[in-house]
Amino acid sequence: MEKKLKLYMVLVGCTPKGRLTEQHDIFFGIGTSLEELLPDMYRFWPESGKLHVDSWREVTKVGDYAITIHERTTEVQPNEQNQKLFFINLGGYKPGDFEEYHYKKLIVAESMGVAVKSAKKTSFYKHYDFEGAVSHVDDKYALDADDLHNVEDVLTDTLKEKYTINITPLTSPMSEDEQHIGYLKLGKNPLLTP
């Protein structure tokens, strides 16, 4: 039986050389398993040294839409509908906490502007916000498009050439994607020369 291609969203982390604290980033990849994506994860963050995964999910449902991956062929063209899959990284604060909290969200919308309006409705945006420390998309002090990305745009060129992300309205109920939370050690970057 042939394994199905899926879009993966992975929270990767490491403590880069010369840093005092662990750093994190989001990696998007397409494959049949998380293990299959390991070389791409190291290419994504080549200076990481050692990587680990803090959480991951197979992206099959976002809101009222099914997310599927298809090989780019003459029969299967890129999404012809107006909907796009956006990744947004909200940042916010709590009074008295020496920390910036983050909330990572996938949103299906026609445009970045519509995705921003949707993000403003999240409970994170409403609860990690107080006078002098406004909730924001990272790198901005107001909700803006700087840390809002069309997922297809952040895929590697190779993946963009081979695959298309199809977004279709759900016609029947579908369970939420399982979120795998917890530390998964990946080890040293095999792409680095010793």
Side-chain angles (χ1 to χ4, degrees):
M1 184 172 144
E2 188 177 326
K3 290 187 177 182
K4 191 174 180 182
L5 287 168
K6 294 180 183 160
L7 175 66
Y8 287 82
M9 177 178 170
V10 185
L11 177 63
V12 291
C14 70
T15 304
K17 188 176 180 179
R19 300 291 179 196
L20 298 177
T21 60
E22 188 174 287
Q23 313 287 297
H24 293 93
D25 206 345
I26 293 292
F27 166 81
F28 287 96
I30 294 173
T32 59
S33 69
L34 185 65
E35 293 77 18
E36 182 182 313
L37 300 176
L38 292 179
D40 288 338
M41 286 184 219
Y42 281 108
R43 279 190 279 280
F44 169 74
W45 202 341
E47 66 281 2
S48 65
K50 293 180 183 178
L51 273 181
H52 66 268
V53 170
D54 284 304
S55 58
W56 63 277
R57 76 185 259 200
E58 296 172 0
V59 182
T60 62
K61 177 185 183 289
V62 175
D64 295 328
Y65 295 90
I67 308 298
T68 55
I69 302 300
H70 298 279
E71 289 194 37
R72 197 177 289 273
T73 65
T74 54
E75 294 85 38
V76 178
Q77 293 301 315
N79 222 11
E80 291 183 12
Q81 61 183 357
N82 293 331
Q83 301 295 349
K84 296 173 183 64
L85 180 61
F86 291 100
F87 164 70
I88 188 166
N89 184 35
L90 288 168
Y93 308 94
K94 285 182 169 182
D97 273 5
F98 194 76
E99 185 65 59
E100 179 185 0
Y101 297 93
H102 289 95
Y103 181 65
K104 287 127 181 72
K105 179 106 177 123
L106 291 175
I107 298 171
V108 171
E110 293 176 10
S111 67
M112 285 190 180
V114 173
V116 165
K117 285 180 185 176
S118 178
K120 285 184 177 182
K121 295 176 185 174
T122 65
S123 61
F124 178 91
Y125 191 80
K126 295 173 185 173
H127 295 120
Y128 285 80
D129 180 62
F130 62 96
E131 190 173 331
V134 178
S135 293
H136 62 279
V137 171
D138 254 8
D139 299 328
K140 290 287 179 186
Y141 290 108
L143 196 57
D144 204 341
D146 271 14
D147 231 9
L148 177 66
H149 304 277
N150 181 338
V151 173
E152 279 199 338
D153 292 343
V154 299
L155 293 173
T156 66
D157 289 339
T158 302
L159 292 177
K160 286 188 253 189
E161 289 170 11
K162 287 177 73 173
Y163 305 112
T164 181
I165 298 174
N166 280 39
I167 303 166
T168 53
L170 290 175
T171 56
S172 59
M174 186 175 172
S175 60
E176 296 295 323
D177 292 338
E178 181 180 358
Q179 296 190 30
H180 305 268
I181 311 295
Y183 186 86
L184 175 61
K185 184 178 178 179
L186 301 180
K188 280 184 118 177
N189 186 341
L191 305 174
L192 292 177
T193 53

PDB file of all heavy atoms in Angstrom, residues 86-89 107 111-113 115-116 137 144-150:
ATOM      1  N   PHE A  86      -2.358  29.990   5.540  1.00  0.00           N
ATOM      2  CA  PHE A  86      -1.427  30.931   6.158  1.00  0.00           C
ATOM      3  C   PHE A  86      -0.953  30.410   7.504  1.00  0.00           C
ATOM      4  O   PHE A  86      -1.719  29.796   8.254  1.00  0.00           O
ATOM      5  CB  PHE A  86      -2.098  32.296   6.377  1.00  0.00           C
ATOM      6  CG  PHE A  86      -2.386  33.032   5.100  1.00  0.00           C
ATOM      7  CD1 PHE A  86      -3.656  33.014   4.557  1.00  0.00           C
ATOM      8  CD2 PHE A  86      -1.390  33.731   4.437  1.00  0.00           C
ATOM      9  CE1 PHE A  86      -3.941  33.688   3.373  1.00  0.00           C
ATOM     10  CE2 PHE A  86      -1.649  34.411   3.265  1.00  0.00           C
ATOM     11  CZ  PHE A  86      -2.931  34.387   2.727  1.00  0.00           C
ATOM     12  N   PHE A  87       0.312  30.688   7.808  1.00  0.00           N
ATOM     13  CA  PHE A  87       0.895  30.427   9.125  1.00  0.00           C
ATOM     14  C   PHE A  87       1.102  31.780   9.790  1.00  0.00           C
ATOM     15  O   PHE A  87       1.637  32.702   9.177  1.00  0.00           O
ATOM     16  CB  PHE A  87       2.239  29.710   9.002  1.00  0.00           C
ATOM     17  CG  PHE A  87       3.058  29.764  10.259  1.00  0.00           C
ATOM     18  CD1 PHE A  87       2.663  29.047  11.374  1.00  0.00           C
ATOM     19  CD2 PHE A  87       4.191  30.546  10.344  1.00  0.00           C
ATOM     20  CE1 PHE A  87       3.394  29.112  12.549  1.00  0.00           C
ATOM     21  CE2 PHE A  87       4.929  30.613  11.506  1.00  0.00           C
ATOM     22  CZ  PHE A  87       4.540  29.891  12.615  1.00  0.00           C
ATOM     23  N   ILE A  88       0.644  31.893  11.034  1.00  0.00           N
ATOM     24  CA  ILE A  88       0.820  33.142  11.770  1.00  0.00           C
ATOM     25  C   ILE A  88       1.439  32.839  13.130  1.00  0.00           C
ATOM     26  O   ILE A  88       1.104  31.848  13.771  1.00  0.00           O
ATOM     27  CB  ILE A  88      -0.525  33.892  11.912  1.00  0.00           C
ATOM     28  CG1 ILE A  88      -0.305  35.283  12.501  1.00  0.00           C
ATOM     29  CG2 ILE A  88      -1.531  33.110  12.714  1.00  0.00           C
ATOM     30  CD1 ILE A  88      -1.507  36.186  12.362  1.00  0.00           C
ATOM     31  N   ASN A  89       2.374  33.687  13.540  1.00  0.00           N
ATOM     32  CA  ASN A  89       3.042  33.559  14.832  1.00  0.00           C
ATOM     33  C   ASN A  89       2.707  34.791  15.658  1.00  0.00           C
ATOM     34  O   ASN A  89       3.254  35.865  15.437  1.00  0.00           O
ATOM     35  CB  ASN A  89       4.560  33.449  14.630  1.00  0.00           C
ATOM     36  CG  ASN A  89       5.290  33.219  15.932  1.00  0.00           C
ATOM     37  OD1 ASN A  89       4.803  32.544  16.819  1.00  0.00           O
ATOM     38  ND2 ASN A  89       6.479  33.784  16.042  1.00  0.00           N
ATOM     39  N   ILE A 107      -4.292  29.282   9.392  1.00  0.00           N
ATOM     40  CA  ILE A 107      -5.567  29.894   9.036  1.00  0.00           C
ATOM     41  C   ILE A 107      -5.758  29.752   7.525  1.00  0.00           C
ATOM     42  O   ILE A 107      -4.843  30.049   6.759  1.00  0.00           O
ATOM     43  CB  ILE A 107      -5.588  31.394   9.413  1.00  0.00           C
ATOM     44  CG1 ILE A 107      -5.435  31.569  10.925  1.00  0.00           C
ATOM     45  CG2 ILE A 107      -6.849  32.075   8.896  1.00  0.00           C
ATOM     46  CD1 ILE A 107      -5.219  33.005  11.369  1.00  0.00           C
ATOM     47  N   SER A 111      -6.921  36.045   1.803  1.00  0.00           N
ATOM     48  CA  SER A 111      -5.814  36.997   1.752  1.00  0.00           C
ATOM     49  C   SER A 111      -5.191  37.135   3.135  1.00  0.00           C
ATOM     50  O   SER A 111      -5.762  36.701   4.139  1.00  0.00           O
ATOM     51  CB  SER A 111      -6.317  38.365   1.285  1.00  0.00           C
ATOM     52  OG  SER A 111      -7.174  38.914   2.283  1.00  0.00           O
ATOM     53  N   MET A 112      -4.030  37.777   3.169  1.00  0.00           N
ATOM     54  CA  MET A 112      -3.383  38.046   4.455  1.00  0.00           C
ATOM     55  C   MET A 112      -4.258  38.931   5.324  1.00  0.00           C
ATOM     56  O   MET A 112      -4.334  38.730   6.529  1.00  0.00           O
ATOM     57  CB  MET A 112      -2.013  38.696   4.242  1.00  0.00           C
ATOM     58  CG  MET A 112      -0.964  37.738   3.783  1.00  0.00           C
ATOM     59  SD  MET A 112       0.659  38.518   3.837  1.00  0.00           S
ATOM     60  CE  MET A 112       1.674  37.172   3.266  1.00  0.00           C
ATOM     61  N   GLY A 113      -4.929  39.898   4.725  1.00  0.00           N
ATOM     62  CA  GLY A 113      -5.799  40.787   5.492  1.00  0.00           C
ATOM     63  C   GLY A 113      -6.912  40.034   6.204  1.00  0.00           C
ATOM     64  O   GLY A 113      -7.203  40.294   7.372  1.00  0.00           O
ATOM     65  N   ALA A 115      -6.774  36.843   6.986  1.00  0.00           N
ATOM     66  CA  ALA A 115      -6.105  36.018   7.996  1.00  0.00           C
ATOM     67  C   ALA A 115      -5.791  36.839   9.250  1.00  0.00           C
ATOM     68  O   ALA A 115      -5.948  36.356  10.370  1.00  0.00           O
ATOM     69  CB  ALA A 115      -4.834  35.405   7.420  1.00  0.00           C
ATOM     70  N   VAL A 116      -5.374  38.082   9.077  1.00  0.00           N
ATOM     71  CA  VAL A 116      -5.089  38.968  10.210  1.00  0.00           C
ATOM     72  C   VAL A 116      -6.360  39.199  11.029  1.00  0.00           C
ATOM     73  O   VAL A 116      -6.340  39.118  12.262  1.00  0.00           O
ATOM     74  CB  VAL A 116      -4.485  40.307   9.724  1.00  0.00           C
ATOM     75  CG1 VAL A 116      -4.518  41.363  10.821  1.00  0.00           C
ATOM     76  CG2 VAL A 116      -3.058  40.097   9.236  1.00  0.00           C
ATOM     77  N   VAL A 137       2.027  40.330  15.907  1.00  0.00           N
ATOM     78  CA  VAL A 137       2.756  39.365  15.117  1.00  0.00           C
ATOM     79  C   VAL A 137       4.214  39.726  15.329  1.00  0.00           C
ATOM     80  O   VAL A 137       4.575  40.894  15.298  1.00  0.00           O
ATOM     81  CB  VAL A 137       2.360  39.474  13.628  1.00  0.00           C
ATOM     82  CG1 VAL A 137       3.272  38.622  12.775  1.00  0.00           C
ATOM     83  CG2 VAL A 137       0.924  39.044  13.454  1.00  0.00           C
ATOM     84  N   ASP A 144       0.309  42.648  12.092  1.00  0.00           N
ATOM     85  CA  ASP A 144       0.715  43.009  10.748  1.00  0.00           C
ATOM     86  C   ASP A 144       1.105  41.741  10.007  1.00  0.00           C
ATOM     87  O   ASP A 144       1.052  40.651  10.556  1.00  0.00           O
ATOM     88  CB  ASP A 144       1.893  43.988  10.832  1.00  0.00           C
ATOM     89  CG  ASP A 144       2.020  44.848   9.593  1.00  0.00           C
ATOM     90  OD1 ASP A 144       1.463  44.478   8.550  1.00  0.00           O
ATOM     91  OD2 ASP A 144       2.678  45.884   9.671  1.00  0.00           O
ATOM     92  N   ALA A 145       1.536  41.869   8.789  1.00  0.00           N
ATOM     93  CA  ALA A 145       1.795  40.700   7.962  1.00  0.00           C
ATOM     94  C   ALA A 145       3.247  40.240   7.973  1.00  0.00           C
ATOM     95  O   ALA A 145       3.599  39.364   7.216  1.00  0.00           O
ATOM     96  CB  ALA A 145       1.364  40.995   6.532  1.00  0.00           C
ATOM     97  N   ASP A 146       4.112  40.816   8.802  1.00  0.00           N
ATOM     98  CA  ASP A 146       5.517  40.428   8.778  1.00  0.00           C
ATOM     99  C   ASP A 146       5.750  38.999   9.232  1.00  0.00           C
ATOM    100  O   ASP A 146       6.657  38.342   8.746  1.00  0.00           O
ATOM    101  CB  ASP A 146       6.367  41.370   9.629  1.00  0.00           C
ATOM    102  CG  ASP A 146       6.866  42.539   8.816  1.00  0.00           C
ATOM    103  OD1 ASP A 146       6.343  42.742   7.705  1.00  0.00           O
ATOM    104  OD2 ASP A 146       7.778  43.231   9.274  1.00  0.00           O
ATOM    105  N   ASP A 147       5.016  38.512  10.192  1.00  0.00           N
ATOM    106  CA  ASP A 147       5.168  37.128  10.634  1.00  0.00           C
ATOM    107  C   ASP A 147       3.925  36.338  10.286  1.00  0.00           C
ATOM    108  O   ASP A 147       3.418  35.561  11.060  1.00  0.00           O
ATOM    109  CB  ASP A 147       5.467  37.053  12.135  1.00  0.00           C
ATOM    110  CG  ASP A 147       6.682  36.187  12.426  1.00  0.00           C
ATOM    111  OD1 ASP A 147       7.375  35.786  11.483  1.00  0.00           O
ATOM    112  OD2 ASP A 147       6.927  35.905  13.608  1.00  0.00           O
ATOM    113  N   LEU A 148       3.445  36.589   9.109  1.00  0.00           N
ATOM    114  CA  LEU A 148       2.307  35.891   8.546  1.00  0.00           C
ATOM    115  C   LEU A 148       2.762  35.415   7.181  1.00  0.00           C
ATOM    116  O   LEU A 148       3.210  36.204   6.365  1.00  0.00           O
ATOM    117  CB  LEU A 148       1.119  36.851   8.420  1.00  0.00           C
ATOM    118  CG  LEU A 148      -0.152  36.331   7.794  1.00  0.00           C
ATOM    119  CD1 LEU A 148      -0.789  35.263   8.667  1.00  0.00           C
ATOM    120  CD2 LEU A 148      -1.132  37.476   7.616  1.00  0.00           C
ATOM    121  N   HIS A 149       2.709  34.112   6.957  1.00  0.00           N
ATOM    122  CA  HIS A 149       3.270  33.547   5.731  1.00  0.00           C
ATOM    123  C   HIS A 149       2.274  32.638   5.034  1.00  0.00           C
ATOM    124  O   HIS A 149       1.599  31.846   5.679  1.00  0.00           O
ATOM    125  CB  HIS A 149       4.519  32.715   6.055  1.00  0.00           C
ATOM    126  CG  HIS A 149       5.559  33.474   6.802  1.00  0.00           C
ATOM    127  ND1 HIS A 149       6.465  34.298   6.189  1.00  0.00           N
ATOM    128  CD2 HIS A 149       5.824  33.544   8.131  1.00  0.00           C
ATOM    129  CE1 HIS A 149       7.255  34.838   7.100  1.00  0.00           C
ATOM    130  NE2 HIS A 149       6.888  34.404   8.280  1.00  0.00           N
ATOM    131  N   ASN A 150       2.229  32.732   3.726  1.00  0.00           N
ATOM    132  CA  ASN A 150       1.523  31.756   2.922  1.00  0.00           C
ATOM    133  C   ASN A 150       2.390  30.499   2.973  1.00  0.00           C
ATOM    134  O   ASN A 150       3.567  30.529   2.600  1.00  0.00           O
ATOM    135  CB  ASN A 150       1.376  32.278   1.486  1.00  0.00           C
ATOM    136  CG  ASN A 150       0.628  31.327   0.593  1.00  0.00           C
ATOM    137  OD1 ASN A 150       0.544  30.121   0.851  1.00  0.00           O
ATOM    138  ND2 ASN A 150       0.087  31.859  -0.477  1.00  0.00           N
TER     139      ASN A 150
END
